Amino acid sequence: MVVDLLVIGTAITLGPLHNSAFVLLLSSLRGTRKGLAFLLSWLANLVAVIACVMLLTGGTPPVHDSAPSDAALAAKLAIGVGLVLFGCYRSRRPPHPHQPPSWTGRVDNASLATAAGLAWLLQPWALVGAGAATAVDADLSTAYAWLALTGYCLLATLSLLAMELYTVWAPDTAHARLDALRTWLDRHQDQLIITLSLLAGLWLTARSIYELVA
């Protein structure tokens, strides 16, 4: 479980779409507050999904080879295969000039609620779903499981947290460097999406098949 959560959390935190949007929010008027709203909404979404899973399982992992256990593995397998197919599709698609979303021109006038809602929209829900399917195996009677789930949520938020703190501590330097980061992310967006989709998808597919037949 821990290794799966580590892979999924890393894939989430490295995603170019939400990181690019977050940099744009930080560079806008009252950017630090908007960034904080985005960050807290992002983290709350992750925690809420895990909490729902724990409510369904009662904090006790299902018996191996039982229907709930096989359903969770099947969900992970489906997500993994879907990510691989998506990565292959994106890699075969002809390159086209990157066009920024229409909302980027209105970011200065965005409210805190809009920033929080943007975090919900940009959440990579396929990977979040894979994390939820993995969390089914968590046994909340152990501190180990609590640490693993907490670490997963923090890892999936790490890039946002690092940029937010950097902007608070060194705003002048941060804005210049984060703008350069956003330019790089926009330029390499397709390559990053393809790479993360294929790596995470192959891992989830292989792990799910192994656990189903083991």
mmCIF file of all heavy atoms in Angstrom, residues 96-118:
data_model
loop_
_atom_site.group_PDB
_atom_site.id
_atom_site.type_symbol
_atom_site.label_atom_id
_atom_site.label_comp_id
_atom_site.label_asym_id
_atom_site.label_seq_id
_atom_site.Cartn_x
_atom_site.Cartn_y
_atom_site.Cartn_z
ATOM 1 N N HIS A 96 0.231 20.513 -31.342
ATOM 2 C CA HIS A 96 -0.475 21.734 -31.702
ATOM 3 C C HIS A 96 -0.080 22.826 -30.721
ATOM 4 O O HIS A 96 0.295 22.541 -29.580
ATOM 5 C CB HIS A 96 -1.991 21.513 -31.672
ATOM 6 C CG HIS A 96 -2.525 21.136 -30.335
ATOM 7 N ND1 HIS A 96 -2.409 19.862 -29.819
ATOM 8 C CD2 HIS A 96 -3.154 21.873 -29.366
ATOM 9 C CE1 HIS A 96 -2.948 19.819 -28.619
ATOM 10 N NE2 HIS A 96 -3.412 21.021 -28.309
ATOM 11 N N PRO A 97 -0.141 24.077 -31.148
ATOM 12 C CA PRO A 97 0.259 25.178 -30.263
ATOM 13 C C PRO A 97 -0.580 25.190 -28.988
ATOM 14 O O PRO A 97 -1.798 24.991 -29.033
ATOM 15 C CB PRO A 97 -0.001 26.428 -31.117
ATOM 16 C CG PRO A 97 -0.006 25.942 -32.526
ATOM 17 C CD PRO A 97 -0.539 24.555 -32.482
ATOM 18 N N HIS A 98 0.100 25.401 -27.858
ATOM 19 C CA HIS A 98 -0.618 25.427 -26.578
ATOM 20 C C HIS A 98 -1.373 26.737 -26.435
ATOM 21 O O HIS A 98 -0.808 27.825 -26.583
ATOM 22 C CB HIS A 98 0.377 25.286 -25.427
ATOM 23 C CG HIS A 98 -0.253 25.463 -24.078
ATOM 24 N ND1 HIS A 98 -1.145 24.549 -23.548
ATOM 25 C CD2 HIS A 98 -0.133 26.465 -23.154
ATOM 26 C CE1 HIS A 98 -1.538 24.968 -22.355
ATOM 27 N NE2 HIS A 98 -0.937 26.121 -22.095
ATOM 28 N N GLN A 99 -2.655 26.642 -26.159
ATOM 29 C CA GLN A 99 -3.494 27.815 -25.944
ATOM 30 C C GLN A 99 -3.900 27.886 -24.483
ATOM 31 O O GLN A 99 -4.476 26.921 -23.963
ATOM 32 C CB GLN A 99 -4.753 27.753 -26.821
ATOM 33 C CG GLN A 99 -4.480 27.772 -28.314
ATOM 34 C CD GLN A 99 -3.916 29.086 -28.788
ATOM 35 O OE1 GLN A 99 -4.142 30.133 -28.181
ATOM 36 N NE2 GLN A 99 -3.160 29.050 -29.877
ATOM 37 N N PRO A 100 -3.590 28.993 -23.777
ATOM 38 C CA PRO A 100 -3.978 29.082 -22.373
ATOM 39 C C PRO A 100 -5.493 29.086 -22.228
ATOM 40 O O PRO A 100 -6.204 29.611 -23.091
ATOM 41 C CB PRO A 100 -3.377 30.428 -21.923
ATOM 42 C CG PRO A 100 -3.176 31.203 -23.179
ATOM 43 C CD PRO A 100 -2.889 30.194 -24.246
ATOM 44 N N PRO A 101 -6.029 28.476 -21.154
ATOM 45 C CA PRO A 101 -7.473 28.474 -20.942
ATOM 46 C C PRO A 101 -8.042 29.887 -20.874
ATOM 47 O O PRO A 101 -7.340 30.844 -20.497
ATOM 48 C CB PRO A 101 -7.618 27.754 -19.592
ATOM 49 C CG PRO A 101 -6.359 26.966 -19.436
ATOM 50 C CD PRO A 101 -5.295 27.769 -20.100
ATOM 51 N N SER A 102 -9.313 30.028 -21.215
ATOM 52 C CA SER A 102 -9.933 31.358 -21.266
ATOM 53 C C SER A 102 -9.983 32.028 -19.895
ATOM 54 O O SER A 102 -9.952 33.253 -19.801
ATOM 55 C CB SER A 102 -11.349 31.245 -21.840
ATOM 56 O OG SER A 102 -12.135 30.365 -21.043
ATOM 57 N N TRP A 103 -10.026 31.236 -18.809
ATOM 58 C CA TRP A 103 -10.160 31.815 -17.482
ATOM 59 C C TRP A 103 -8.890 32.524 -17.024
ATOM 60 O O TRP A 103 -8.931 33.323 -16.085
ATOM 61 C CB TRP A 103 -10.536 30.750 -16.456
ATOM 62 C CG TRP A 103 -9.578 29.608 -16.346
ATOM 63 C CD1 TRP A 103 -9.671 28.398 -16.952
ATOM 64 C CD2 TRP A 103 -8.379 29.563 -15.570
ATOM 65 N NE1 TRP A 103 -8.608 27.601 -16.623
ATOM 66 C CE2 TRP A 103 -7.800 28.286 -15.777
ATOM 67 C CE3 TRP A 103 -7.742 30.463 -14.720
ATOM 68 C CZ2 TRP A 103 -6.611 27.906 -15.173
ATOM 69 C CZ3 TRP A 103 -6.555 30.089 -14.117
ATOM 70 C CH2 TRP A 103 -5.995 28.826 -14.341
ATOM 71 N N THR A 104 -7.745 32.265 -17.680
ATOM 72 C CA THR A 104 -6.496 32.872 -17.226
ATOM 73 C C THR A 104 -6.518 34.388 -17.343
ATOM 74 O O THR A 104 -5.837 35.074 -16.588
ATOM 75 C CB THR A 104 -5.304 32.315 -18.022
ATOM 76 O OG1 THR A 104 -5.509 32.565 -19.425
ATOM 77 C CG2 THR A 104 -5.160 30.821 -17.800
ATOM 78 N N GLY A 105 -7.301 34.908 -18.283
ATOM 79 C CA GLY A 105 -7.379 36.358 -18.438
ATOM 80 C C GLY A 105 -8.205 37.027 -17.354
ATOM 81 O O GLY A 105 -8.174 38.260 -17.230
ATOM 82 N N ARG A 106 -8.944 36.255 -16.559
ATOM 83 C CA ARG A 106 -9.797 36.824 -15.515
ATOM 84 C C ARG A 106 -9.307 36.475 -14.109
ATOM 85 O O ARG A 106 -10.037 36.655 -13.142
ATOM 86 C CB ARG A 106 -11.233 36.319 -15.686
ATOM 87 C CG ARG A 106 -11.823 36.617 -17.046
ATOM 88 C CD ARG A 106 -13.320 36.292 -17.088
ATOM 89 N NE ARG A 106 -13.556 34.869 -16.897
ATOM 90 C CZ ARG A 106 -13.580 33.976 -17.882
ATOM 91 N NH1 ARG A 106 -13.357 34.355 -19.127
ATOM 92 N NH2 ARG A 106 -13.809 32.702 -17.642
ATOM 93 N N VAL A 107 -8.073 36.000 -14.012
ATOM 94 C CA VAL A 107 -7.595 35.499 -12.728
ATOM 95 C C VAL A 107 -7.408 36.614 -11.701
ATOM 96 O O VAL A 107 -7.564 36.393 -10.500
ATOM 97 C CB VAL A 107 -6.274 34.714 -12.931
ATOM 98 C CG1 VAL A 107 -5.122 35.651 -13.301
ATOM 99 C CG2 VAL A 107 -5.930 33.910 -11.700
ATOM 100 N N ASP A 108 -7.082 37.852 -12.155
ATOM 101 C CA ASP A 108 -6.897 38.954 -11.201
ATOM 102 C C ASP A 108 -8.184 39.266 -10.452
ATOM 103 O O ASP A 108 -8.151 39.695 -9.291
ATOM 104 C CB ASP A 108 -6.412 40.217 -11.924
ATOM 105 C CG ASP A 108 -4.907 40.185 -12.168
ATOM 106 O OD1 ASP A 108 -4.214 39.440 -11.446
ATOM 107 O OD2 ASP A 108 -4.435 40.883 -13.079
ATOM 108 N N ASN A 109 -9.325 39.072 -11.100
ATOM 109 C CA ASN A 109 -10.611 39.388 -10.482
ATOM 110 C C ASN A 109 -11.263 38.170 -9.826
ATOM 111 O O ASN A 109 -12.388 38.262 -9.344
ATOM 112 C CB ASN A 109 -11.568 39.954 -11.537
ATOM 113 C CG ASN A 109 -11.065 41.258 -12.125
ATOM 114 O OD1 ASN A 109 -10.498 42.084 -11.415
ATOM 115 N ND2 ASN A 109 -11.243 41.442 -13.430
ATOM 116 N N ALA A 110 -10.544 37.060 -9.808
ATOM 117 C CA ALA A 110 -11.109 35.842 -9.231
ATOM 118 C C ALA A 110 -11.249 35.974 -7.718
ATOM 119 O O ALA A 110 -10.404 36.570 -7.049
ATOM 120 C CB ALA A 110 -10.230 34.639 -9.564
ATOM 121 N N SER A 111 -12.312 35.427 -7.164
ATOM 122 C CA SER A 111 -12.532 35.437 -5.724
ATOM 123 C C SER A 111 -11.836 34.248 -5.081
ATOM 124 O O SER A 111 -11.350 33.342 -5.760
ATOM 125 C CB SER A 111 -14.028 35.384 -5.423
ATOM 126 O OG SER A 111 -14.578 34.155 -5.875
ATOM 127 N N LEU A 112 -11.804 34.252 -3.751
ATOM 128 C CA LEU A 112 -11.227 33.114 -3.041
ATOM 129 C C LEU A 112 -12.027 31.843 -3.303
ATOM 130 O O LEU A 112 -11.467 30.750 -3.416
ATOM 131 C CB LEU A 112 -11.170 33.407 -1.541
ATOM 132 C CG LEU A 112 -10.281 34.584 -1.103
ATOM 133 C CD1 LEU A 112 -10.307 34.723 0.416
ATOM 134 C CD2 LEU A 112 -8.853 34.394 -1.589
ATOM 135 N N ALA A 113 -13.359 31.988 -3.400
ATOM 136 C CA ALA A 113 -14.206 30.828 -3.686
ATOM 137 C C ALA A 113 -13.911 30.263 -5.073
ATOM 138 O O ALA A 113 -13.903 29.041 -5.272
ATOM 139 C CB ALA A 113 -15.679 31.222 -3.580
ATOM 140 N N THR A 114 -13.653 31.146 -6.037
ATOM 141 C CA THR A 114 -13.305 30.693 -7.381
ATOM 142 C C THR A 114 -11.981 29.955 -7.374
ATOM 143 O O THR A 114 -11.828 28.913 -8.032
ATOM 144 C CB THR A 114 -13.219 31.894 -8.338
ATOM 145 O OG1 THR A 114 -14.492 32.553 -8.390
ATOM 146 C CG2 THR A 114 -12.839 31.443 -9.735
ATOM 147 N N ALA A 115 -11.012 30.472 -6.617
ATOM 148 C CA ALA A 115 -9.717 29.803 -6.510
ATOM 149 C C ALA A 115 -9.874 28.419 -5.886
ATOM 150 O O ALA A 115 -9.261 27.441 -6.332
ATOM 151 C CB ALA A 115 -8.755 30.654 -5.687
ATOM 152 N N ALA A 116 -10.718 28.328 -4.864
ATOM 153 C CA ALA A 116 -10.957 27.033 -4.228
ATOM 154 C C ALA A 116 -11.657 26.071 -5.192
ATOM 155 O O ALA A 116 -11.329 24.876 -5.241
ATOM 156 C CB ALA A 116 -11.794 27.222 -2.969
ATOM 157 N N GLY A 117 -12.616 26.563 -5.947
ATOM 158 C CA GLY A 117 -13.312 25.724 -6.922
ATOM 159 C C GLY A 117 -12.404 25.262 -8.047
ATOM 160 O O GLY A 117 -12.545 24.148 -8.555
ATOM 161 N N LEU A 118 -11.441 26.101 -8.407
ATOM 162 C CA LEU A 118 -10.495 25.739 -9.454
ATOM 163 C C LEU A 118 -9.659 24.530 -9.034
ATOM 164 O O LEU A 118 -9.340 23.667 -9.856
ATOM 165 C CB LEU A 118 -9.589 26.935 -9.756
ATOM 166 C CG LEU A 118 -8.691 26.839 -10.986
ATOM 167 C CD1 LEU A 118 -9.535 26.670 -12.246
ATOM 168 C CD2 LEU A 118 -7.820 28.099 -11.098
#
